[in-house]
Amino acid sequence: MKIVDARVIVTCPGRNFVTLKVTTDEGLTGLGDATLNGREQAVVGYLAEHVAPLLIGLDPHRIEDTWQYLYRGAYWRRGPVTMAAIAAVDVALWDVKAKAAGLPLYQLLGGASRERIRAYGHADGRDVPELLDAVRARLDQGYRAVRIQTGVPGLKAVYGVHDTTADGSAVPHQQARPLVEDWDTDAYLRHLPGVFEAVRAEFGPELPLLHDAHHRLTPIQAARLGRDLEPYRPFWLEDCTPAENQEALRLVRRHTTTPLAVGEVFNTVHDYQTLITEQLIDYVRSAVTHFGGVTPLRKLSDFAAQHQIKTAIHGPEDISPVGTAAALHLDLAVHNFGIQEYAGHSPLAGEVFPHAYTFADGHLHPGDAPGLGVELDEALAAAHPYRPAYLPVNRLRDGTVHDW
């Protein structure tokens, strides 16, 4: 079997998604997700101009060899653009291989290690009463674990809190320039323990509650927050401090027993080495789409398992259904699965990417269709072309650019 075509398809059914479609001489096709939110066209160019021509004539079954060829052969290694492009190829080849075998992908990864995949959803509010309503809504949808984010008094726009227009609809994701959010760390640190107290008082001690600090704290601030939240037993505190400085997590770990989750912006195992070998975190958070695909993320899972660390693959709205499906096949197969983020997609995105995976009773399953179990309606995709979009930026009250 040989690859005879490799095309990049960009569509925007509410969000921009970048998809690689690989076709073989036997008529089998495979899909891979290469979406890099806010920098989509950089990956499009990398794939279309540099990677896709190299795939023609290759044996799609040689997944490990192709991965090493694209990673080592380019000389310029790592980085989100490179790793998203490699991920798209890797996932597309796994899709082809599983279809050729007539099996769902998880069966090629060793088979199921569980019957279903626990998921958590997002609940947010501009204030605590609105957040409580959002938690109720998620519970009504079947979620059994919830990430909670809320506005901070005195701040106009805060990460994780969806702003709305006058008619109550969500502010469009597409922006001509990045939305500017504001930030005050002291106000946030004063406010958040009370948020957890209110949610616990309303929903009791058993509901798993997660929170994302989104890289905004120094290590000592993160340690203080982790300790302040301990009475409310959070499931985890996510991205409490920028973890590119892996040693910084030593200070956080020394001062709090709150579980820590890190890694959604990481691209390779090298970003994790100190964190894992010194057991400074409890969950690895990288996405299949941004970590180079199924091949390296499976290896990361095995590395983490040696140190009693679990997986929690990044699953926001800007990972396409292709990337979501790949994550679910890994979730079902690896032994050290922890939890899966599931923000879901719009109904239109589900029409552009018909998929076999399902969500019910707070759990996900990738389905048993051969391959990933995701298809692409190219005609519908073409009807929703790319629209320029940016992630927000963040500034302190004095105007200094801060971590978003």
Side-chain angles (χ1 to χ4, degrees):
M1 189 186 301
K2 300 294 182 184
I3 297 171
V4 296
D5 189 43
R7 291 188 297 118
V8 182
I9 300 163
V10 184
T11 184
C12 184
R15 291 264 186 172
N16 289 315
F17 297 123
V18 180
T19 306
L20 177 70
K21 184 175 182 178
V22 169
T23 303
T24 74
D25 57 358
E26 296 185 10
L28 291 176
T29 61
L31 299 178
D33 181 22
T35 306
L36 186 62
N37 193 356
R39 295 294 185 268
E40 298 91 348
Q41 296 289 26
V43 188
V44 170
Y46 194 111
L47 271 174
E49 301 297 329
H50 301 290
V51 173
L54 301 178
L55 302 179
I56 307 305
L58 296 186
D59 179 352
H61 286 304
R62 297 183 62 173
I63 298 175
E64 177 71 25
D65 182 67
T66 300
W67 194 96
Q68 299 294 346
Y69 176 64
L70 295 177
Y71 180 78
R72 298 176 186 277
Y75 185 71
W76 310 109
R77 301 181 186 181
R78 308 170 68 180
V81 174
T82 293
M83 300 313 290
I86 294 175
V89 176
D90 184 79
V91 171
L93 297 189
W94 277 111
D95 194 17
V96 168
K97 181 181 281 287
K99 286 176 179 175
L103 294 169
L105 174 56
Y106 72 83
Q107 294 288 15
L108 274 62
L109 302 176
S113 289
R114 57 198 47 83
E115 300 302 318
R116 54 186 186 166
I117 298 160
R118 179 165 64 160
Y120 72 89
H122 296 176
D124 64 83
R126 288 166 291 187
D127 53 28
V128 171
E130 194 172 89
L131 171 62
L132 297 179
D133 288 341
V135 174
R136 291 187 195 95
R138 291 292 173 263
L139 296 178
D140 289 343
Q141 291 171 349
Y143 284 99
R144 297 183 178 183
V146 182
R147 190 191 81 172
I148 56 173
Q149 310 288 142
T150 184
V152 176
L155 300 184
K156 299 185 293 294
V158 175
Y159 165 78
V161 179
H162 292 82
D163 202 0
T164 57
T165 60
D167 64 0
S169 60
V171 170
H173 172 63
Q174 280 71 28
Q175 302 278 346
R177 297 184 68 85
L179 173 71
V180 178
E181 296 181 352
D182 54 347
W183 187 247
D184 183 327
T185 301
D186 289 338
Y188 165 77
L189 292 175
R190 291 192 300 268
H191 177 66
L192 192 63
V195 173
F196 266 81
E197 182 179 29
V199 176
R200 278 283 176 240
E202 183 71 17
F203 298 102
E206 296 183 358
L207 178 64
L209 298 178
L210 305 85
H211 178 73
D212 187 357
H214 223 245
H215 318 279
R216 298 188 175 190
L217 308 177
T218 65
I220 197 65
Q221 291 168 341
R224 182 188 313 156
L225 178 60
R227 179 173 289 183
D228 287 347
L229 294 181
E230 285 177 13
Y232 311 109
R233 301 295 295 273
F235 185 91
W236 77 35
L237 177 60
E238 178 184 344
D239 290 333
C240 59
T241 191
E244 293 95 326
N245 177 12
Q246 297 181 43
E247 293 80 3
L249 270 293
R250 292 173 183 153
L251 187 152
V252 183
R253 194 60 139 182
R254 281 199 299 269
H255 291 286
T256 182
T257 59
T258 293
L260 303 175
V262 164
E264 69 182 53
V265 299
F266 288 175
N267 307 129
T268 73
V269 67
H270 304 290
D271 299 313
Y272 280 107
Q273 282 193 289
T274 299
L275 299 176
I276 290 176
T277 57
E278 297 189 18
Q279 296 181 285
L280 301 179
I281 58 175
D282 301 278
Y283 297 90
V284 292
R285 290 273 297 130
S286 291
V288 174
T289 301
H290 302 141
F291 201 75
V294 168
T295 297
L297 200 56
R298 176 58 190 264
K299 295 174 183 178
L300 175 69
S301 300
D302 291 341
F303 179 31
Q306 302 307 308
H307 299 272
Q308 298 178 295
I309 296 169
K310 295 184 176 182
T311 68
I313 296 175
H314 190 40
E317 296 168 311
D318 49 64
I319 298 292
S320 87
V322 175
T324 298
L328 298 183
H329 284 279
L330 270 170
D331 290 338
L332 201 65
V334 300
H335 179 260
N336 58 324
F337 167 76
I339 199 168
Q340 174 64 52
E341 180 179 23
Y342 182 59
H345 295 98
S346 70
L348 179 58
E351 294 175 23
V352 173
F353 296 93
H355 52 265
Y357 65 79
T358 55
F359 173 77
D361 194 28
H363 292 77
L364 292 150
H365 193 281
D368 287 308
L372 289 175
V374 182
E375 301 299 330
L376 174 61
D377 185 330
E378 293 193 48
L380 186 56
H384 299 278
Y386 169 81
R387 296 166 62 189
Y390 291 91
L391 289 170
V393 298
N394 196 25
R395 291 184 181 272
L396 302 180
R397 287 185 167 181
D398 67 359
T400 303
V401 174
H402 192 55
D403 295 296
W404 185 77

